[in-house]
Amino acid sequence: MASSTVALSSSLGAFVGNCSVEKVHRRRPAGAARAQGVNGCSLRTPLVRKQVVDSSARVLNAGRAAFLPPLKTRTPAAKRAFKPRAAVAVDERPAPTMAPPPPVEGMKTVTVKVRTGAEADAGIGHNAYFYVVGSFSHAPDTGLRYPEESSGYFELKGPFRPETEIGGNFQVPAGFNIKGVVLYNPQDNSPWGKFTGALADFLNKDNLTFGGNYLNIAVKLFGMGWITTGQWYVNDVLVDGHEFPVYSWVLDNESQIAFTGKAHLPQDTPPGLRHWRRLKLIQNQDMYDYQPYNDLSVPPDNADVNSAGYRPTLDPYPAHQWVERSGPKLEQVPKDEQFRLDKRYDFGHYTLTSVLTALLSDPMAGFLKLVSSFGIYPKYVYKSLGEYTKKVFEGFVHYKKPFVSKFMDWWSDKAFGFQTVAGINPIQIARVGAKEDLPSTIDFEELDAALRPRLATAGTTLEGAMKDGKLFKLDFTFLEAFQGVVNGHQPWKEHTTDKGGYKIKALGEDVWVKHMYSQPRHLHTPAAILFEDPDPEYEGIPVPVAIKLERDTPLITGKSGPDLQSTDWAWTLAKAIVFNADSGTHQLVTHWLKCHACSETVLVALRRQLSELHPLFKLLLPHFRYTMNINSKARVQLISAQGTVETNFTPGPYSMQVSAFGYRFWNLKDEALPVGLKKRGVDAESGALPNYPYRDHGMKMWDAIEAYVTEYVELYYGPEGPASEKRIANDGELQAFWTDYKRGHGSLDSWLKENGKPEGLEWPALTTTSDLARICTTWIWVASCQHSAVNFCQYDYSGFVPNHPASIRKRYPYGEKVDESTFMDLMPPPSEMWKVMTVVETLVSKSVEEQFIGEKPDKYSEFWFLDPEAKAIYDRFGARLEQVQKELEAMNETASIPYNYLLPKKGAKNPDPELDPFGFGIPNSVAI
């Protein structure tokens, strides 16, 4: 180890004084003090001398530390409650050897330009520096820097304003082949720099209520671009016109490397870049790591199990990015993962607009939401649907009318059935092919007797419907695991000022939970049976025919009338309760767990183990843009103790335990669309569900993505066969990435082994190019298309609360008369209604700098494909999506109810521009 370290240190000329590379790629021992600069060595070493190279540049002797860029310090590993880090293959690579001195050669002039990002806060107001890395023609196996350490850096004259291209001509040895550029952003210690930096720090505070930021407001609304934090966002560096992509923040007093734009597998890396590639990964591994969901308490580091804000660690659950659980950087993710200015501004703007709409459309509901924080819960409910509609959607200030109430008869069986195949949770419906497939709460004989007259009119029987693939189910009986704790410990006073709590049993732990509800709630465990009725009125859409709301309760049947005056309110209420269970399952499992949480696990492993030079890094990273940041915000505001989810969804403080329960059944293979459809018995080949828009639109998108990914993977690994299998096996970064990704799901693997499955979590093979393409396609599908399908429809269907209520206040009145008043009495109170509407309206909003799947790059894009062949593959993918777009629009033209959430292209045809002013389109990543 010592000789390797000495060789590496000599080769890089990387540190001054007593700073050794050995200190860099070993983590600090537990309890070690936080480092300043690079392991105690300041980057602000005074300049010793200056040497003018030409009229546009000068070389500075710094005695400054060269790349490796300064490590972002963190809490020592021993203080983090998680499993030990797996061995990292990249750390075992041998260090390079020192190159012999180059022969005397002439100098050549190169043109270097730096392109600053488009965001208003991307620039800096001072000079910056850089050096180049590569190798000499006579010694291609080495990786050196120029100017060498004794000669310092080249200087770039600032200021660097957004969307500018600044650089000049610089001289390097004629035989030096440039493979990378290291940028250095010095701290601006001038009086003006200190003033603007202090002002920016003062303003750079998030307003969690509105999701905004005061610095954003100053820059965006008032044009105060001269206020800079000293942090510099660089798109790329041009060296004689060749792009070296960066797409990263160069923080003040830190440096960042830009590699050549050509993609290389680790085994194909140009010799002059091998150890630079290695060192950048070591830096990333210190910046990125896993943490369990142990930060949902309030505050996140709350360990007092008897406090109202305590929540136990979710186990099993996917791990997320390591964050501080206390202090000024609470839940702060790495800078490269944070929302940029326009995204933060739009996010805050949409949230504020929606909140103001809620307050002004029904001031009483807003006032009661405010006083409820003081333990005061006056009774205030909408007594009729007419009152609800008038106050919320028809006032001087009002919410936009959701799609389900504007274009559909929301109470009808057809509308209910359509939402099971094209609504917020279209992956819940499953085929009932035999008695054994029925939900556990439904008895075959009871169901047969109840449905015999209805099925006879369709010319079939219950067994015949099963055999013919015409019977389906929505099964939420898994909620029985939580029914006792949710329903058994509710305070049933509708008017209470009691600020105390009640003791509940939380999966083996006693937790004291403060009463947080303005009204009591009841958790039902419904199961619904749907039938594909041949009546042309239903257009092949399955319709509900029987509902069991709880075990050992009567089976409910009915049929909606042509209008609300003639409808069966008992039946309508039963359907609403089914959709209440669907609402929680969608938000906690389908949406948050499978799209948000599981995508972040991919991103952490990707950042830790794949170099920017790796072709899979370039393919995958755009599909995880902002995912880490939106998840961090959600842990603070939405899914934390007493957050939006707990205070508005029926499971209350058990909401995230429901999510963790759903994770027990997660498997990466099942997240592939064709596999999931087949497992539920509703794939196209089964002949089931002739009208299933989510499946039919989704498979066109899946096929396009899989063809694109397969072509891209084969570009770098070769076609299917022994040669490509060898390249996959020898790709150390890919193997480390796959191992690290599985480590992020280690809690599920352990849980399965401890609960009757000794083989643990089953993973797909990673041997062939088709294996790799299927895995990458699944990740991209989930992050883009699946998230689009289950997120951007939320306001259309959940925005009209009686259609898809987040909570139910009371138990279904079995054996009693149910009318409109009864129906409204079980709906959430107005304050909860507008809270949910505010959240879902914000969640379906798109930013002006949103990146859409397959679109051509714009000024906001992070476009990593610089190889001509890769660019051509991406262009073919875009063309393929254009064709898919036309096919899906044609399908919508012939459908009575259009399905818009898997239209790939931004600006797609929109039946109601008020609901989506940006037009439809599939964002690249989970970013909202």
Side-chain angles (χ1 to χ4, degrees):
M1 177 65 192
S3 61
S4 174
T5 301
V6 171
L8 178 58
S9 182
S10 300
S11 166
L12 297 179
F15 294 91
V16 295
N18 294 322
C19 292
S20 69
V21 174
E22 185 173 4
K23 293 181 181 177
V24 175
H25 67 90
R26 287 182 177 173
R27 302 183 67 80
R28 289 191 309 281
R34 291 182 177 271
Q36 300 295 323
V38 183
N39 295 295
C41 294
S42 171
L43 292 181
R44 299 295 299 165
T45 306
L47 305 183
V48 178
R49 61 185 176 87
K50 301 178 181 179
Q51 176 187 355
V52 177
V53 174
D54 64 10
S55 60
S56 62
R58 57 194 174 102
V59 177
L60 303 178
N61 172 54
R64 298 179 190 268
F67 191 82
L68 178 75
L71 298 177
K72 283 67 174 178
T73 55
R74 303 190 344 197
T75 302
K79 293 187 179 180
R80 301 198 305 274
F82 201 57
K83 297 178 180 179
R85 170 178 288 99
V88 182
V90 70
D91 286 346
E92 299 171 2
R93 298 175 188 165
T97 57
M98 183 64 177
V104 177
E105 298 182 6
M107 303 294 283
K108 65 179 179 181
T109 299
V110 296
T111 302
V112 177
K113 296 181 180 180
V114 179
R115 293 197 286 207
T116 301
E119 299 286 355
D121 62 344
I124 54 175
H126 52 271
N127 296 347
Y129 306 94
F130 76 94
Y131 59 86
V132 295
V133 300
S135 58
F136 286 100
S137 301
H138 76 284
D141 292 338
T142 60
L144 304 175
R145 59 166 286 179
Y146 188 84
E148 60 191 36
E149 183 191 0
S150 61
S151 300
Y153 289 68
F154 291 117
E155 183 177 41
L156 291 165
K157 290 286 189 179
F160 297 84
R161 298 304 184 200
E163 292 191 77
T164 58
E165 187 177 288
I166 293 178
N169 296 321
F170 304 87
Q171 289 190 330
V172 300
F176 193 77
N177 301 311
I178 299 175
K179 298 297 183 182
V181 178
V182 177
L183 299 172
Y184 172 57
N185 175 19
Q187 192 170 28
D188 186 358
N189 285 321
S190 68
W192 178 251
K194 289 181 178 180
F195 168 73
T196 58
L199 181 58
D201 289 340
F202 175 76
L203 294 175
N204 193 20
K205 302 290 190 301
D206 279 338
N207 182 325
L208 295 182
T209 303
F210 300 133
N213 179 278
Y214 301 117
L215 177 60
N216 296 348
I217 295 171
V219 174
K220 186 72 176 180
L221 290 184
F222 300 103
M224 302 170 71
W226 50 268
I227 303 177
T228 172
T229 60
Q231 300 171 3
W232 184 23
Y233 187 84
V234 178
N235 279 349
D236 53 20
V237 180
L238 300 177
V239 179
D240 287 339
H242 298 289
E243 293 181 58
F244 288 60
V246 181
Y247 300 120
S248 179
W249 289 95
V250 188
L251 305 184
D252 64 337
N253 212 26
E254 295 188 2
S255 45
Q256 182 68 264
I257 190 167
F259 291 114
T260 175
K262 183 173 176 57
H264 298 282
L265 296 179
Q267 57 266 45
D268 301 330
T269 306
L273 276 183
R274 286 175 183 165
H275 59 286
W276 299 98
R277 178 174 185 155
R278 172 192 177 197
L279 288 178
K280 182 63 189 302
L281 281 176
I282 293 171
Q283 179 198 30
N284 286 352
Q285 288 154 15
D286 192 82
M287 172 72 72
Y288 295 88
D289 203 357
Y290 288 121
Q291 175 180 321
Y293 270 73
N294 60 358
D295 51 352
L296 299 183
S297 298
V298 177
D301 61 348
N302 182 3
D304 182 3
V305 297
N306 292 316
S307 69
Y310 172 80
R311 295 294 178 272
T313 299
L314 296 183
D315 184 36
Y317 214 69
H320 65 70
Q321 163 64 17
W322 186 93
V323 290
E324 297 278 4
R325 297 173 64 206
S326 61
K329 294 186 177 181
L330 174 69
E331 292 289 334
Q332 189 175 106
V333 299
K335 181 68 173 175
D336 282 342
E337 313 302 335
Q338 295 176 20
F339 288 168
R340 302 214 206 129
L341 186 69
D342 281 336
K343 175 69 173 180
R344 294 169 77 176
Y345 177 82
D346 288 342
F347 186 77
H349 170 73
Y350 292 135
T351 305
L352 178 59
T353 301
S354 190
V355 169
L356 291 176
T357 301
L359 292 174
L360 295 175
S361 63
D362 190 350
M364 178 60 73
F367 172 75
L368 295 182
K369 186 67 176 178
L370 176 64
V371 301
S372 68
S373 61
F374 299 98
I376 302 172
Y377 306 108
K379 185 173 182 179
Y380 175 62
V381 298
Y382 296 127
K383 296 179 181 179
S384 68
L385 283 165
E387 181 185 5
Y388 163 69
T389 302
K390 183 177 180 179
K391 287 190 173 182
V392 177
F393 302 111
E394 297 175 1
F396 178 73
V397 177
H398 61 271
Y399 278 98
K400 296 171 288 189
K401 202 167 186 180
F403 183 89
V404 71
S405 62
K406 192 170 185 177
F407 295 102
M408 302 170 68
D409 297 329
W410 67 269
W411 66 88
S412 69
D413 291 344
K414 182 178 180 180
F416 182 98
F418 182 78
Q419 290 175 73
T420 68
V421 293
I424 68 172
N425 195 15
I427 66 171
Q428 191 70 31
I429 190 168
R431 179 178 174 179
V432 178
K435 296 179 182 179
E436 296 75 22
D437 297 332
L438 286 171
S440 63
T441 56
I442 294 182
D443 177 74
F444 176 82
E445 284 71 22
E446 180 187 17
L447 182 65
D448 185 37
L451 295 185
R452 192 172 295 127
R454 173 73 182 270
L455 296 180
T457 61
T460 189
T461 63
L462 184 58
E463 287 188 333
M466 290 180 178
K467 182 180 178 181
D468 295 339
K470 304 295 183 182
L471 207 68
F472 307 91
K473 65 179 178 181
L474 300 176
D475 189 351
F476 302 102
T477 56
F478 73 93
L479 292 172
E480 287 184 330
F482 300 91
Q483 195 173 27
V485 291
V486 173
N487 297 341
H489 299 274
Q490 289 275 358
W492 290 104
K493 296 179 182 179
E494 292 191 9
H495 310 280
T496 177
T497 58
D498 179 15
K499 295 183 181 180
Y502 51 94
K503 207 170 187 180
I504 61 176
K505 198 71 174 177
L507 302 181
E509 296 185 46
D510 288 330
V511 180
W512 195 259
V513 180
K514 183 180 179 181
H515 174 43
M516 63 185 68
Y517 306 129
S518 57
Q519 303 289 346
R521 298 178 187 173
H522 186 85
L523 179 66
H524 295 81
T525 60
I529 300 299
L530 298 94
F531 173 60
E532 186 189 313
D533 197 308
D535 188 332
E537 173 192 351
Y538 298 119
E539 302 177 290
I541 295 171
V543 293
V545 290
I547 294 172
K548 175 83 76 168
L549 293 178
E550 297 171 292
R551 191 177 296 276
D552 301 324
T553 59
L555 192 69
I556 302 170
T557 59
K559 189 174 183 180
S560 294
D563 52 50
L564 278 172
Q565 283 67 45
S566 62
T567 194
D568 180 345
W569 282 103
W571 179 239
T572 302
L573 178 58
K575 291 188 293 182
I577 291 174
V578 173
F579 270 171
N580 165 245
D582 187 59
S583 182
T585 302
H586 157 264
Q587 205 65 267
L588 298 169
V589 180
T590 303
H591 182 203
W592 171 260
L593 167 67
K594 293 186 176 182
C595 294
H596 282 259
C598 289
S599 289
E600 184 170 359
T601 309
V602 182
L603 177 57
V604 175
L606 183 151
R607 285 290 197 182
R608 283 175 47 78
Q609 303 295 358
L610 293 185
S611 165
E612 291 92 331
L613 288 163
H614 201 291
L616 293 183
F617 177 96
K618 299 173 185 291
L619 171 72
L620 293 173
L621 186 66
H623 296 286
F624 300 97
R625 184 175 188 245
Y626 295 151
T627 299
M628 203 176 279
N629 195 97
I630 193 63
N631 287 1
S632 174
K633 283 185 173 293
R635 291 195 299 272
V636 173
Q637 302 173 58
L638 296 182
I639 65 173
S640 59
Q642 302 173 15
T644 299
V645 169
E646 286 195 3
T647 55
N648 291 280
F649 285 78
T650 301
Y654 291 99
S655 293
M656 290 308 294
Q657 297 290 350
V658 172
S659 184
F661 188 89
Y663 180 52
R664 298 177 185 182
F665 308 98
W666 178 89
N667 187 293
L668 178 62
K669 292 192 293 186
D670 295 342
E671 297 307 297
L673 179 61
V675 177
L677 291 171
K678 190 173 184 64
K679 187 173 182 178
R680 292 184 286 116
V682 291
D683 54 307
E685 291 73 18
S686 70
L689 296 176
N691 191 346
Y692 191 179
Y694 164 78
R695 176 197 64 200
D696 300 335
H697 289 224
M699 281 305 303
K700 288 185 179 294
M701 285 302 302
W702 172 275
D703 290 343
I705 295 172
E706 189 168 46
Y708 156 61
V709 173
T710 299
E711 189 177 5
Y712 183 85
V713 166
E714 291 184 349
L715 173 64
Y716 295 98
Y717 291 95
E720 193 95 351
S724 60
E725 291 179 18
K726 184 177 180 180
R727 288 178 66 77
I728 289 174
N730 291 339
D731 185 342
E733 288 182 11
L734 171 61
Q735 297 301 326
F737 170 44
W738 184 235
T739 299
D740 225 21
Y741 170 68
K742 291 189 286 187
R743 184 170 66 93
H745 291 280
S747 64
L748 179 56
D749 183 67
S750 298
W751 187 89
L752 290 171
K753 290 176 179 176
E754 295 166 2
N755 288 273
K757 192 175 180 182
E759 66 276 16
L761 183 57
E762 182 182 359
W763 290 100
L766 180 55
T767 304
T768 66
T769 52
S770 60
D771 294 339
L772 180 56
R774 172 54 68 98
I775 291 169
C776 292
T777 300
T778 301
W779 286 332
I780 293 173
W781 161 262
V782 170
S784 57
C785 300
Q786 180 71 2
H787 182 255
S788 181
V790 303
N791 179 73
F792 291 103
C793 58
Q794 289 190 84
Y795 189 79
D796 284 350
Y797 296 106
S798 298
F800 192 80
V801 175
N803 174 68
H804 226 285
S807 66
I808 292 294
R809 293 175 50 227
K810 299 178 182 179
R811 194 181 190 211
Y812 183 88
Y814 301 103
E816 301 177 16
K817 181 182 178 181
V818 178
D819 55 18
E820 184 177 1
S821 176
T822 310
F823 179 91
M824 293 303 296
D825 199 37
L826 266 68
M827 291 297 105
S831 58
E832 292 182 13
M833 284 185 174
W834 74 252
K835 178 64 174 179
V836 170
M837 292 173 67
T838 297
V839 171
V840 297
E841 187 179 43
T842 302
L843 293 181
V844 303
S845 303
K846 299 183 180 76
S847 171
V848 67
E849 50 99 88
E850 199 80 57
Q851 301 298 296
F852 292 85
I853 190 166
E855 74 173 352
K856 294 182 178 179
D858 59 21
K859 66 180 181 179
Y860 297 110
S861 299
E862 298 178 2
F863 191 71
W864 293 90
F865 294 151
L866 299 182
D867 294 342
E869 299 91 340
K871 281 184 176 180
I873 291 172
Y874 186 80
D875 289 342
R876 284 193 289 274
F877 177 51
R880 193 177 294 117
L881 292 185
E882 293 281 1
Q883 181 60 36
V884 169
Q885 178 89 9
K886 293 177 182 177
E887 294 173 6
L888 297 184
E889 288 179 345
M891 292 167 67
N892 278 343
E893 290 288 340
T894 60
S896 62
I897 308 173
Y899 184 66
N900 301 308
Y901 313 109
L902 288 174
L903 294 172
K905 294 312 211 178
K906 179 179 178 181
K909 292 181 181 179
N910 191 341
D912 190 357
E914 183 189 21
L915 294 180
D916 191 347
F918 285 98
F920 295 104
I922 299 175
N924 246 343
S925 62
V926 178
I928 190 68

